[in-house]
Amino acid sequence: MAERVQQPPAKRLCCRPGFGATCRQGQRAAGAPCGGSAATQGESSRTQSPETLLDIAARKVAEKWPFQRVEERFERIPEPVQRRIVYWSFPRSEREICMYSSFNTGGEEIGSSGESSDETRLPFRRGIALLESGCVDNVLQVGFHLSGTVREPATSSEPELVCNVSVSFDRCKITSVTCSCGNKDIFYCAHVVALSLYRVRKPEQVKLRLPISETLFQMNRDQLQKFVQYLITVHHTEVLPTAQKLADEILSQNSEINQVHGAPDPTAGASVDDENCWHLDEEQVQEQVKLFLSQGGYHGSGKQLNLLFSKVREMLKMRDSNGARMLSLITEQFMGDPRLALWRQQGTTMTDKYRQLWDELGALWMCIVLNPHCKPEQKGFWLRQLRRWNGVDVCPLEDGNHGSELTNLTNALPQGPPGNPDSLTRPHRTVFTRAIEACDLHWQDPHLQHIITEDHYAYYCYHDNLNSSLFDARGWPLWHEHVPTACARVDALRSHGYPKEALRLAIAIINTLRRQQQKQLELFRTHKKELLHRGVTSITNLEGWVGHPLDPIGTLFSTLMEMGRSSEDGATLDLSGSLGSGRRTENPVISAQRFLEEGESFVALAVETALIGLGQQRVMPDGLYAQEKVCRNEEQLLARLQEVDLDDTLMKIFRKQATFFLEAGPYSGLGEILYRESVPMHTFAKYLFTSLLPHDAELAYRIALRAMRLPVLESTAPSGDLSRPHHIVSVVPNRYPRWFTLSHIESQQCELASTMLTAAKGDACKLQTVLETIQKNIHSSSHIFKLAQDAFKIATLMESLPDITLLKVSLELGLQVMRMTLSTLNWRRREMVRWLVTCATEVGVFALDSIMQSWFTLFTPTEATSVVASTVMSNSTIVRLHLDCHQQENLSNSARTLALQCAMKDPQNCALSALTLCEKDHIAFETAYQIVLDAAATGMNYTQLFTIARYMEHRGYPMRAYKLATLAMTHLNLSYNQDTHPAINDVLWACALSHSLGKNELAAVIPLVVKSVKCATVLSDILRRCTLTTPGMVALHSRRNSGKLMSLDKAPLRQLLDATIGAYINTTHSRLTHISPRHYSEFIEFLSKARETFLMAHDGHIQFTQFIDNLKQIYKGKKKLMMLVRERFG
């Protein structure tokens, strides 16, 4: 904490009218030790000696009375009595000193050295180390003030440091601390700890003096003057100005100081009006919290804030009033966080961890206002504070983003006063709303008082209340209250150090939940036919207990498990605290059987409570944060349940609760009637399934199969018969946009199904049942695909033979995925298709044949040819299946048939694959080729036809390639400026193919080229290639042909030459329309290429000259360009 070097001002004025110096002289020997007289010191070592009445009385007075009241009550207090009161006024327990000097507290660390490097840095640990190494010296207690020096040994980086430490105390509490070390922190520094523990552990070595005012009363005038002058001389640089100022005021008759009777004494203890509490540096609390918040969750600030909250809980448990003070300071800083306004302005949500800190803040305030010994004025002060914070615009809402429309449930309680009607209709509930509502609650209900204060209340009151709902059939008390509110009482009792009372109330609540379950079961059985016939239900619990802001189930579970661990350690429980007395007792020892019936245990009760809460049918809350909290709390509770070893007793509870869940209708999340927007039970059911499976497999499967439901995704419109695999359709679910955690929920549903598949391996009947449930309830193709993959892995484990039944389940799920994703876009589709073929291969040849026979319901034509048929006909598949020649041929025929069907349905994408697959079967190959020819006129583009044509040439069918190439040319159109078109290479290849086949083929293709290609450079390239070799020069089988070169003056090359010259002329005019000077040089080069083509004609020179002259005339305005033309071409 921030230890201030300045001594705090005295709390009260001290004077002794009627007592002179003479009556005090000689009464006390100087330097008497803190323990009192020599006789007393000698007796203190004999532990068997009884305590004196003086010590007993002095200790009680020192704990409860401010010293001013003692002085006012008695006219004269003997010095021995004063000395014992002063002696006993210092704290005697190290626990509180530890609490105020470290985050990590607990009985195990008090008085012992730290073992970890982190613990040794705690102020409390360091203080112990300083004390044990003899670094505390000059310890002096003057009245209610302790001072001394603490030496910090030198280190390699720091010199030795000597700190002056002083501590004021009152009624066994340290009320202020001062240290010259200058450290700033929330908690006491190590030097304060060392001095305080010195006084606790070695009181007999501390010199004790009465308050300084008592000493001054014993001095005469000369002694007083000498005392003051020596004091000024020793500290003249510090106190001389102050001394002179005080002297001037005292000598002035009308000064303010002379109007007051007596003088302040910092060592005289507390006044009657002073609050008795431990010293807490409020400024440092605020600064530290502000610093942690400003770090935005980085550098471990979230952890530090959680530790501060834990410190508040620890203070509450010690019944330290600073708990509420500290929480108020923390809350003020949270409310002042500038990010709240920024997030509200931007419409963004706070981070999840920050949101959890606010939840803890609200829960702590709930504990504070429910303090059973809270005074009305205290509660009124807190209520005003809470209402002020609640009224701030940026105050976070309870559910994170959306306002809850729940009414004030606590105001509807029979024992509470009427609530504010405005709060019934208020749409938004903040994190403080529940604490504000809890201020209306009280503890005066007689039945409640009996429950929490009496162990045997059930036995002697039951028979007087046979017609009442206050007791169950066994005679145990019940407590009917809104369950989260009742559990908040339990949390408050635990938090304020009343574990025994918290346990009694927790057991009463659990018995109430048990009775409620029984009545719900009876009610449903009575109206079962009516409810099942109606088929719909309204939710029975608007507020679920798991994920609730007050965490009622978690509170009950923690309360019982703590007691369960204690009872396992021994036959008795150490439950400190007594609500009736309002104070802590030392070490009451209570038998566990006073709280339980024969055969019951706290652990069993805790497990049953958790099961009841998790199985409750409840509505999914609004808002992302609230929904995430439901999932998180459920997982946290299940994680704690998994730590419990399940014995026969717990198995009976599991069976009992599981049976109730199945039979309780709308009251259970696993009942026959499920509300559309109920929280799903997948995660909980998975835990129940794995727990019950070794003991009661039938019950385990009933639970898991029932839990697979997810009605929020069910389509209300009929969409086919979903119970039969072959009629599975792609369901487009009516997804509720407010279910923000739907993806997580669906993944949990998938995990439950996977767990069942794994467990059902080898059981064909159960596998079929699980398969049907998956097909009916899971609507996500990706999750079904994952299940199919899981089943495949389980079925093909290396250490055993494949489980054919599970393989078939895997294949069936894979087929469903294919149907669901056939007409939708899915980036994993190709992976799914490949996996399905692999799975079918593992199942056997009949499975492969089956998927090929029904390919049109599973695959696109492209997938069927490029993936399915290709894989089936691969060598690896044949080897894997160990097929003979006959089986290979049958499988290949099926694949070829599939390929031809796909080619007919989608020739554009499947024709080439079909040709490839049918190469080894002449009839099939001819059929595929005919399909291509039929589709070429209408259904295929030039790119596809050119590709197939090249394939034909590669396979040794040049005439078929030529025919397909000519068909492709009819679909092509190259404009004058497309000199980089991707089809140019195909055109050049087609012309080269025609030229190689002969003059007739070339003559047939050139008109097509002239019609389709308008690009001059492409045409000139074709023309040049045709003039270099003789047509048919490279004929079939590479035989030479000694023909003549074709003439450019005759068809067909004359037609091509004229088209090329025309293309150059048209392109030239097109370029000149929008030419810029930076393209002039490029244009001149283009004209040079054009001239080369012109000159190939017999009158080409004349044509080119006329062409240039026309250009000069038409474009004479482009003087610079025309000048360049004249320079190059004359």
Side-chain angles (χ1 to χ4, degrees), residues 860-874:
T860 64
T862 305
E863 293 168 345
T865 53
S866 64
V867 179
V868 181
S870 300
T871 306
V872 167
M873 295 186 68
S874 66

Side-chain angles (χ1 to χ4, degrees), residues 976-977 1064-1077 1079-1080 1083 1086-1087 1107 1111 1114-1118 1121-1122:
Y976 74 93
N977 59 351
Y1064 270 115
I1065 292 172
N1066 291 334
T1067 304
T1068 299
H1069 286 296
S1070 296
R1071 286 195 172 191
L1072 285 172
T1073 304
H1074 302 291
I1075 196 169
S1076 62
H1079 294 131
Y1080 284 174
F1083 178 73
F1086 175 77
L1087 285 180
F1107 174 55
L1111 290 181
I1114 296 171
Y1115 301 101
K1116 58 185 177 181
K1118 299 182 183 295
L1121 178 59
M1122 292 303 107

Side-chain angles (χ1 to χ4, degrees), residues 873-892:
M873 295 186 68
S874 66
N875 289 330
S876 60
T877 301
I878 295 171
V879 173
R880 181 74 182 87
L881 292 172
H882 305 291
L883 302 180
D884 57 30
C885 293
H886 179 69
Q887 290 173 320
Q888 288 182 37
E889 188 58 30
N890 288 339
L891 198 61
S892 297

Side-chain angles (χ1 to χ4, degrees), residues 708 714 722-726 728-729 731 768-779 784 787 809 811-816 819-820:
M708 282 294 294
E714 297 293 342
L722 301 186
S723 63
R724 301 178 62 188
H726 290 291
I728 294 291
V729 297
V731 178
Q768 183 60 33
T769 306
V770 175
L771 172 63
E772 291 173 1
T773 304
I774 292 170
Q775 292 175 325
K776 180 181 179 182
N777 293 295
I778 297 184
H779 305 289
I784 297 177
L787 287 171
V809 169
L811 179 63
E812 202 62 48
L813 292 173
L815 294 174
Q816 182 179 351
R819 297 185 190 104
M820 292 175 70

Side-chain angles (χ1 to χ4, degrees), residues 306 373 405 527 649 730 921 1073:
N306 274 316
H373 283 295
E405 296 182 0
H527 302 282
T649 303
S730 179
D921 187 304
T1073 304

